Amino acid sequence: MSTGFFKVPTPINEPVKSYSPGSSERKEVLDTYKKMIKKTIEIPMYINGKDVKSDETNSISPPHDHKNIVGKYYLANESHVDQAISTALEAKESWENMSWENRAAIFLKAAELIAGPYRSKINAATMIAQSKTVHQAEIDAACEFIDFLRFNVQYVTDIYKNQPDSDSDAWNRVEYRPLEGFVYAVTPFNFTAIAGNLAASMAMLGNVVVWKPSDSQVYSAKIIIDVFKEAGLPDGVINAVYGDPEMISNKVLESSAFAGLHFTGSTTVFNSFWKKIGSNISNYKTYPKIVGETGGKDFILAHKSADPKEVSTAITRGAYEFQGQKCSAASRGYISKSIWNEVKENVIEDLKSISMGSPEDLSNFVTAVIHESSFDKIARYIDDAKADSKVKVVAGGSYDKSKGYFVEPTLLLVEDPNYVSMREEIFGPVMTVYVYDDKDFDKTLNLIDTSTKYALTGAVLAKDRNVIEKVTKALRNSAGNFYVNDKPTGAVVGRQPFGGARSSGTNDKAGSMLNLLRWVSPRLIKETFVTPKDYRYPFLAKD
Ligand code: NAD
C-alpha cells in the first residue's frame, strides 16, 4: 500500500575517476585486476535467483592474451530457456505489484554498490574480458551504468507522474502497466553498461526479464548479476542464460508470452529477430514491443574553416578509442582539401605516440579487439585496402594475433567516396578518409547522407556559423546523435540520449524517458463520481 508520493533522489552523473599515477583508485583497480586474472572462475547461468550449471561450458580468455583462460561459463539447452521463461512468469505478479519506492530502491542501491564496493571489480572484469583501458572501463562499466540506474529511476517517476486532466465529474488516471508476459534482453559485447541497462530498465517498470548477454561479455555480466542480487532484486525478475544465441532466441520467440525485445547489436542480427517475430506474430498474446539499437557508419565532416588540430583530435579519439568498437566510433571522414595535409600530419603524429598492449599497462591507449573472428574481419578489410591501387594506407595497417587480437590504428585515404570501407561497418580501429574539393562541399553533404544505410552518429567541425547551420539541416536524417565541433562518441546519460534511425535502429534513445515508455502498456481508468441514471440527454426534451 502506498502511504505517500515519495520523491526520488535527484540523479547526478557519476564523476569519472582519473586513475592518474598515485591515485587510490589506480592502485585498487590494478590490485583487483591482478587478483582476478590469476584465478579461473566458473560462471553458472542465473535462473530464479539460483546458480544453474549444465553439461557444456565455454572458456573465457582476455582478448589481449587469448591463451590465458580466466574462466568458464555454462551453456543453456532448451530446458534452461524454458525454466528462465517460466520462472520469470512466476515472479511477475509479486514484482509488478511491488510499490514503486521498493522497486526503485533496489536499482538505486545497485547504483551505489557499483559506485562503491563493486567499482574496481566491474571495471577490472571489463578490462580483462572486453579489453578496455581503465578509462574506457570506468566511463562504461562504472559511470554509464550508474547513470542509467539513477536517471532511469527519475524518468520512471516522471512517467508515473504524467497524468491526464480531470474535472469534478470524473477522475482520469493512467496506470503504467508493465507488458503482459515476459520481455527478452539481448545485449552486445562492447558496453557493460548497455548489457546491464537493457535488462534493468525493463525490470524497473515491473517487467520480468530473460537476459541473454553476449558470449564475450559473460565475465562482467556475472558482476552485474552479483550486484542485482546484493541490491535485493527478487528471484526470477531477471534471469540470465548463456550460449547458442540462435537456439536460445528461437526458443524465447516461440513462447506465446513473449511481450518485448530489447536488443543492442548488429543490424543483421536485429533484422533476423524482426523477421522471426513477424512470422510468429499470430502466436503471441499481445503485440510485442521491438526496440533495437544497431550498427553505425559514423562520420566526421571537416569544413575548410575548421581548426585542423581539433579535427585530428576528433579523429584520434573518435575512431581509435576502444579500438573503434563503439557503435558511435568515427569510421568515415570527409575532410576539406585546404586543411587535409595538416590534419593528416597531426593524426600521424598522434598515432606515433600511441602505445598498444594489455590494459594492465595503463599507458596503453589501444588494446585488443574482441575476438578472433572480429580480428580476421578487420584484417581482411585492411588487406583489401592494401591491394587496391586507389587506396592509400596513411597510417597503421599492421595486425598480429599471436598473443592477443591486436590491430594497429589504421587511417586509409580513398579516391572513391563510395569505397567499401566508406560504406560498411568494420567495427575496428580503421578510419577511412575522403578528401573533397572545397567547391564540392554541397555534393559532399549529399554523399554523407546517401552513401551508407546507417544513421547513428556524425560530427561537423567548422568555425563558420552559416556552414554549421547548413550542415545541421542538410544532415538532419543522417545521424540520430549529431555533434558540432566535437567527436561523435561519448554520449552521457541524462545529457545526450543515444540512438539512430535507418539501419542503425529504432531510435528509442537509451538513457531517456523515450526508451522507458516502450516498456509499459498504459491503462486509462476513468472514474465517474455521480453516475447518470437516465439515458436521456437534455436536447431530447420537447420544446
Ligand atoms: P552481435 O549482433 O554479434 O551480437 C549482439 C547480441 O546478439 C549478442 O548477445 C549475440 O549473442 C546475439 N546474437 C548473435 N547472433 C545471433 C543470432 N543469430 N540470433 C540471435 N541472437 C544473436 O553484436 P556485437 O558484436 O555483440 O556488438 C557489436 C554491434 O553492436 C555493432 O554492430 C555495433 O554497432 C552495435 N552496437 C550498437 C549500439 C547502439 O546503441 N546503436 C550500441 C552498442 C553496439
Side-chain angles (χ1 to χ4, degrees):
M1 192 177 76
S2 285
T3 49
F5 298 114
F6 306 112
K7 277 191 190 165
V8 294
T10 305
I12 47 152
N13 288 106
E14 177 65 13
V16 178
K17 290 188 188 276
S18 78
Y19 297 86
S20 52
S23 63
S24 58
E25 67 266 17
R26 185 178 177 105
K27 183 178 174 328
E28 195 182 332
V29 81
L30 283 175
D31 288 349
T32 311
Y33 182 105
K34 282 177 189 136
K35 249 186 248 157
M36 284 170 78
I37 205 159
K38 270 191 212 132
K39 283 195 196 147
T40 316
I41 63 158
E42 286 205 345
I43 305 181
M45 289 170 277
Y46 186 68
I47 302 172
N48 201 17
K50 313 252 170 346
D51 287 345
V52 175
K53 295 184 178 176
S54 64
D55 299 336
E56 263 190 288
T57 58
N58 268 352
S59 60
I60 303 173
S61 295
H64 45 275
D65 187 10
H66 53 63
K67 290 195 182 79
N68 181 10
I69 292 177
V70 294
K72 65 175 182 182
Y73 60 100
Y74 287 86
L75 307 178
N77 59 37
E78 291 197 343
S79 75
H80 297 112
V81 185
D82 281 337
Q83 274 176 44
I85 295 172
S86 55
T87 217
L89 292 171
E90 279 158 29
K92 184 173 171 59
E93 195 184 342
S94 74
W95 178 239
E96 72 179 33
N97 283 310
M98 186 183 278
S99 61
W100 168 230
E101 65 269 21
N102 278 306
R103 258 186 287 136
I106 292 168
F107 296 102
L108 291 171
K109 177 166 175 146
E112 296 324 298
L113 289 172
I114 299 163
Y118 281 85
R119 193 182 200 112
S120 66
K121 255 188 234 165
I122 203 162
N123 279 340
T126 304
M127 292 164 76
I128 291 171
Q130 287 140 273
S131 206
K132 290 207 171 192
T133 63
V134 72
H135 175 68
Q136 292 303 318
E138 167 77 3
I139 59 175
D140 161 22
C143 299
E144 188 174 5
F145 193 17
I146 294 165
D147 290 352
F148 274 133
L149 293 164
R150 288 179 183 155
F151 279 82
N152 282 347
V153 164
Q154 177 68 57
Y155 297 143
V156 173
T157 309
D158 294 341
I159 289 173
Y160 289 167
K161 269 195 218 152
N162 190 354
Q163 293 294 325
D165 289 338
S166 298
D167 56 26
S168 53
D169 291 340
W171 186 6
N172 301 314
R173 303 189 291 268
V174 170
E175 182 192 15
Y176 293 92
R177 299 172 302 182
L179 305 186
E180 201 179 359
F182 72 94
V183 289
Y184 185 37
V186 181
T187 58
F189 80 83
N190 66 338
F191 278 88
T192 304
I194 295 179
N197 179 53
L198 261 52
S201 54
M202 298 191 290
M204 225 177 246
L205 288 149
N207 293 291
V208 285
V209 185
V210 175
W211 172 28
K212 200 214 75 61
S214 156
D215 289 297
S216 304
Q217 190 263 326
V218 172
Y219 197 73
S220 58
K222 163 84 175 97
I223 317 284
I224 295 174
I225 289 163
D226 291 346
V227 167
F228 287 159
K229 212 169 168 176
E230 189 167 338
L233 189 73
D235 295 349
V237 172
I238 294 179
N239 304 280
V241 284
Y242 312 129
D244 179 354
E246 241 182 300
M247 180 279 290
I248 296 173
S249 301
N250 287 345
K251 194 78 200 144
V252 165
L253 301 184
E254 265 172 24
S255 168
S256 59
F258 166 70
L261 170 70
H262 203 185
F263 175 85
T264 297
S266 59
T267 303
T268 320
V269 171
F270 184 52
N271 289 353
S272 74
F273 269 109
W274 198 294
K275 279 188 199 145
K276 283 179 190 168
I277 294 168
S279 59
N280 289 344
I281 201 74
S282 49
N283 303 341
Y284 302 132
K285 189 165 181 185
T286 186
Y287 284 107
K289 304 260 182 131
I290 306 176
V291 170
E293 300 306 333
T294 59
K297 190 70 202 170
D298 310 303
F299 61 86
I300 288 178
L301 165 65
H303 184 251
K304 64 181 180 195
S305 66
D307 175 339
K309 192 69 191 144
E310 292 175 6
V311 177
S312 57
T313 302
I315 292 176
T316 304
R317 285 188 169 175
Y320 303 120
E321 278 185 311
F322 189 38
Q323 299 72 259
Q325 297 172 117
K326 299 185 184 189
C327 45
S328 55
S331 64
R332 52 181 177 135
Y334 302 80
I335 315 291
S336 147
K337 199 172 185 177
S338 334
I339 59 168
W340 165 240
N341 273 337
E342 222 180 311
V343 170
K344 180 180 72 179
E345 292 312 318
N346 291 338
V347 177
I348 291 172
E349 212 42 47
D350 280 350
L351 294 185
K352 268 191 211 151
S353 70
I354 279 176
S355 57
M356 181 164 71
S358 161
E360 189 177 353
D361 175 350
L362 266 48
S363 67
N364 288 326
F365 184 82
V366 167
T367 56
V369 300
I370 193 70
H371 46 51
E372 187 165 23
S373 67
S374 175
F375 174 93
D376 291 345
K377 175 180 161 191
I378 301 164
R380 266 196 310 275
Y381 277 98
I382 294 177
D383 287 347
D384 289 349
K386 284 179 180 164
D388 195 316
S389 61
K390 291 191 178 139
V391 183
K392 200 168 167 230
V393 180
V394 175
S398 31
Y399 45 79
D400 180 356
K401 62 175 174 183
S402 50
K403 183 169 169 64
Y405 303 114
F406 291 106
V407 181
E408 223 186 348
T410 298
L411 187 65
L412 305 177
L413 176 66
V414 289
E415 286 174 23
D416 174 7
N418 287 308
Y419 180 70
V420 62
S421 65
M422 292 294 279
R423 292 183 282 109
E424 294 180 3
E425 185 182 52
I426 301 174
F427 225 58
V430 179
M431 166 98 181
T432 310
V433 164
Y434 171 70
V435 176
Y436 66 88
D437 216 310
D438 295 343
K439 69 174 179 1
D440 293 333
F441 188 68
D442 289 359
K443 273 195 212 152
T444 306
L445 294 181
N446 188 48
L447 266 177
I448 293 173
D449 189 47
T450 56
S451 52
T452 84
K453 61 181 182 176
Y454 300 107
L456 191 52
T457 75
V460 57
L461 289 103
K463 297 290 174 214
D464 183 329
R465 202 71 226 181
N466 286 317
V467 167
I468 293 172
E469 167 138 22
K470 179 179 190 166
V471 174
T472 307
K473 285 183 177 148
L475 301 183
R476 161 174 283 166
N477 292 312
S478 315
N481 282 53
F482 184 69
Y483 295 78
V484 177
N485 288 322
D486 204 345
K487 62 183 170 56
T489 58
V492 172
V493 177
R495 306 277 170 107
Q496 297 102 22
F498 190 80
R502 296 187 182 165
S503 287
S504 290
T506 52
N507 199 13
D508 286 293
K509 294 286 187 249
S512 82
M513 195 193 285
L514 294 173
N515 177 283
L516 295 166
L517 281 168
R518 300 299 311 273
W519 310 118
V520 292
S521 176
R523 174 169 79 144
L524 180 283
I525 301 171
K526 176 190 175 196
E527 180 173 350
T528 296
F529 296 127
V530 182
T531 309
K533 292 185 178 166
D534 182 352
Y535 87 91
R536 291 172 196 80
Y537 295 106
F539 75 88
L540 293 171
K542 296 254 187 280
D543 283 332

